Amino acid sequence: MEKQVNSLIKKALNYNYIILYSCIFMSSFTILSQNKKPVISDFKIAEISVSGETVYGAETIITYSGLKNGESIIVPGGTKISAAIKKLWDSNLFSSIEVFISKTIGSDVYLEIALNDLPELKNVKVTGVKKSKIKEILEENKLVKGVKVTENLITTTKNYLENKYRKLGFLNAKTTITTSKVNDSVKKTRVDMVVEISKGSKIKVKDIDFTGVEKISQMKLRKTMKNTKRKNIFRIFKRSKYIEADYSEDLKSIIDKYKEKGYRDARIVSDSLIKNKDNTISLKVEIEEGEKYYYGSIRFLGNTIYSDNQLNQVLKIEKGDTYNGVELEKRIADNTDPDAYDLTNLYQNNGYLFSTITPVEVSTNGNIIDMEIRVTEGKPAYFKNITVSGNDKTNDPSIYRNLRTRPGQLYSKKNVVRTIRELGQLPFFDAQQISPDIKNVNPTDGTLDVDYSIVEKGSSQIELQGGYGGGGFIGTLGLSFNNFAAKDLFKKDAYKPFPMGDGQSLALRLQASRFFQTSSFSFTEPWLGGEKPVQFSTSISQTKQFLYNPLTRNADKDRSFNITGITIGIAKKLSIPDDYFVLSQAISFQYYALNDYNTGLFTFGNGNSNNLAYTVGLSRNNTFNDPIYPIGGSSFSLSAKFSLPYSLISDIDYTELKNERDAQVDLISQYSNSSSQSELDIRNAASERIGEIDQLRYKWLEFYKVKFKGEWYTKIVGQLVLKPTFEFGFLGAYNNDRGVIPFERFFLGGDGLGQYSLDGREAIALRGYPNQSLSSQDGGSIYNKFSLELRHPITLAQQTKIFALAFLEGGNSYNEFINFNPFNLKRSAGIGLRIFMPAFGLLGIDFGHGFDPLPGEATKSGWQTHFIIGQQF
């Protein structure tokens, strides 16, 4: 039967030593009467024996005690026995220690050391918490097998667990620890331990009352408390609970609120917690508000680099303004925002690392405060040594070329922050673990060293992507190497498992469904020539698409068209308007070969088309820090794709062709219900002629295509991020008589799978609807889309990044610009989850609810599930 450990183990370490000298004097010793004083005698130790439950040998114990045979001792009152007992206690090995005199013969004394070992811990059982928390509890309290079970261990563990859960809001948390002796063949004394944790329920706050407040209402003060809220059935996003650390933070927020209103002397006089009978608590806070203050004169002292007027433009505080200590502190140095427009950054972004700026209240006349902003500028600082550590795979030049700081360059905090962000955007570093180590700071000669500590992560991906769309399963197998080194292709030793380290990208992809097969190869060199950030890219692709047979609802493998394409592009970072802008240009060519492939747009079932186009794009991306989970910044891209205006240089009369084509269409319509052979021959001849005309129209594709996409990332609170997105695309024709081409179209709806079909078509995701269901069968020529996404991370560890999201979306697709209405949206909302692993890329699932019907249907789309495997976004 288990019993409290307090009754099992004697108090072993309190040094209240119970030394029982049972002086059993034989007939040769005089027994002292109550009225006689004890006789102090000198003895010589004749023999020492050991008794009790212990695994340690007698010789070991005797030796450790320091007592020796033949040694002289004084009984009682001698110090040698006391010292021996203390030494044994200090070993923390025993639960009880006693020394007896077993007998004396003449001046010889025989001693017995009776002791019992402290029990060792065998098994621990923890109850009252989730299984996932048990390991953490055992590690935090060092409850491991073999540890000595002392009263101190029990008390410390109990107090630690109760305090831990009380800090988490479980004010009634109790911990009970019991032990039971293990009876087995092992000679050691061992015990099993049971740790019973009763957390109870989290204590809710019934009321928060303030006394002494007049200047700010109680309601506003309660709103200031972001973490501690009163119990309210209407509160959804912030539940009422009391957590000590959060409550302390809220009290500081209250004082900051007063300081923002000019009450710089405001203070918390007292705060108390009252437990109510309904298992809630009430919080009472007494505040002394003090008097409201205003700024008087503000003078700058010590500034020579910047004038008073320049500093005032940053400080933005005028005489007569309400005194705001919180705002003043942020205008001097806002430690919450590295990009803040404050006085400290003004100096440190321009070389003055050693500058200090101190606001001083020089006089107070009533409630008017005169200020001096004392500036110590120091001498300019320069970078001396710039190093990078932690890169085992990535070559140094591939990193150093991305640094915004250089040896001999004037110090700039802004450039240090920018470097961290740009290194974090590289796919082969963990953005969460990049940190600058500023060292060897020398104010005398104005120099400093910076070491950028990085952690490499898996930079290659095996892409396995799957999903249902367009009536079938779409599967993708791909290999991408994001830190490739092409120069080492022929070096055998470089294959570990492939040449890497130069930051190049190489990708191989295979994609297939019932309706198409695609293979592609791409290569990107981010620094062409190695001197400037000029990116070179090239890609080759081969695609075969099969015609949909509406009778069998399957692909007709005998009717297809093949697409072969090549693209060469170059992109360069700009310095105007700022150096976040990138200008990209590309030339692409696709060859389309049709094999009995007739659709509403492809009327020439047998033939070919050529697409030679030039694409120019302007983009700006200053998102940070992690490309998988940005927490700030924005990304914009505007691109235009043009073909040559063949209709201007061709001698073909496209107006006449259009009129002839319209006439043939009219013939087909006129004889659509006829059944005679002669009329069928007329219809067939008209169809063949339309095909011939379209072959002339689309021999060389003539078009222009404009796209825009904008994304913003804003941190709301903590790691909660809001991401609004806007997209627009338009496909047009130079010559309306030639018409809009049947390629390069937009397919809206679903999860966006199939965007690599490489005939120029683009699959645009819009969750809550089936894939490509919001466009016509042959795609739209114009679309717009709005999206609002709220994200929160679960973990942002190096090997696995997980975040949850909720979204609102709306968009639509049109065949002609005359029908375009940006406010006629197909709307949806839902939730999702993303998991990023370096080896497989981004994995995810979305549950979207479409609020509107599909084109041609009357009922709303409803709930749709979208799987994302390997797809980036």
Side-chain angles (χ1 to χ4, degrees), residues 85 230 247 415 428 447 468 532 643 655 698 709-710 814 839:
I85 293 174
R230 293 190 300 178
Y247 176 59
N415 286 343
F428 29 90
T447 60
Y468 284 91
K532 294 183 179 181
S643 69
T655 302
Y698 302 134
K709 183 175 182 179
Y814 304 88

Side-chain angles (χ1 to χ4, degrees), residues 442-629:
N442 191 332
T444 303
D445 60 9
T447 60
L448 69 150
D449 299 337
V450 180
D451 177 71
Y452 294 98
S453 175
I454 61 175
V455 176
E456 293 179 312
K457 65 179 182 181
S459 56
S460 302
Q461 294 180 7
I462 300 174
E463 184 177 359
L464 297 172
Q465 175 177 296
Y468 284 91
F473 179 81
I474 301 173
T476 300
L477 173 63
L479 295 174
S480 61
F481 308 103
N482 294 321
N483 195 8
F484 196 69
K487 64 179 177 57
D488 295 331
L489 274 175
F490 302 104
K491 295 181 180 179
K492 183 178 179 180
D493 296 340
Y495 284 82
K496 298 178 182 179
F498 63 90
M500 61 190 304
D502 286 351
Q504 300 164 346
S505 297
L506 185 146
L508 300 169
R509 306 182 88 259
L510 298 173
Q511 189 176 56
S513 74
R514 288 190 299 165
F515 301 99
F516 70 87
Q517 298 171 357
T518 296
S519 60
S520 66
F521 166 84
S522 64
F523 174 79
T524 301
E525 165 57 69
W527 284 67
L528 184 63
E531 297 295 330
K532 294 183 179 181
V534 177
Q535 177 181 288
F536 170 80
S537 61
T538 184
S539 65
I540 303 173
S541 62
Q542 175 69 41
T543 297
K544 177 176 284 190
Q545 299 200 25
F546 304 104
L547 188 66
Y548 174 73
N549 189 328
L551 298 178
T552 63
R553 294 188 176 183
N554 207 340
D556 188 344
K557 297 298 179 69
D558 295 326
R559 307 174 69 184
S560 64
F561 76 95
N562 298 330
I563 309 164
T564 303
I566 183 170
T567 301
I568 298 175
I570 200 162
K572 180 181 180 181
K573 286 189 176 182
L574 304 178
S575 57
I576 299 174
D578 62 40
D579 56 5
Y580 289 106
F581 279 87
V582 174
L583 176 67
S584 59
Q585 303 175 78
I587 295 177
S588 60
F589 175 75
Q590 284 86 34
Y591 176 75
Y592 305 96
L594 289 84
N595 176 31
D596 197 18
Y597 195 90
N598 292 285
T599 67
L601 292 176
F602 294 103
T603 52
F604 56 102
N606 292 285
N608 60 77
S609 289
N610 302 275
N611 183 0
L612 177 63
Y614 167 74
T615 303
V616 59
L618 185 65
S619 62
R620 185 183 190 274
N621 186 344
N622 69 335
T623 58
F624 57 90
N625 284 340
D626 194 331
I628 302 301
Y629 192 82

Side-chain angles (χ1 to χ4, degrees), residues 178-198:
T178 57
T179 63
S180 58
K181 188 175 181 180
V182 177
N183 295 314
D184 54 20
S185 59
V186 178
K187 292 183 179 180
K188 290 183 178 180
T189 303
R190 298 189 296 173
V191 294
D192 290 334
M193 179 183 291
V194 177
V195 181
E196 299 179 31
I197 301 173
S198 176

Side-chain angles (χ1 to χ4, degrees), residues 176 180 254 277 308 351 369 397 401 438 458 537 542 627 666 841:
T176 304
S180 58
I254 290 173
K277 293 181 179 180
D308 290 0
I369 301 175
R401 66 193 183 192
I438 297 179
S537 61
Q542 175 69 41
D666 290 340

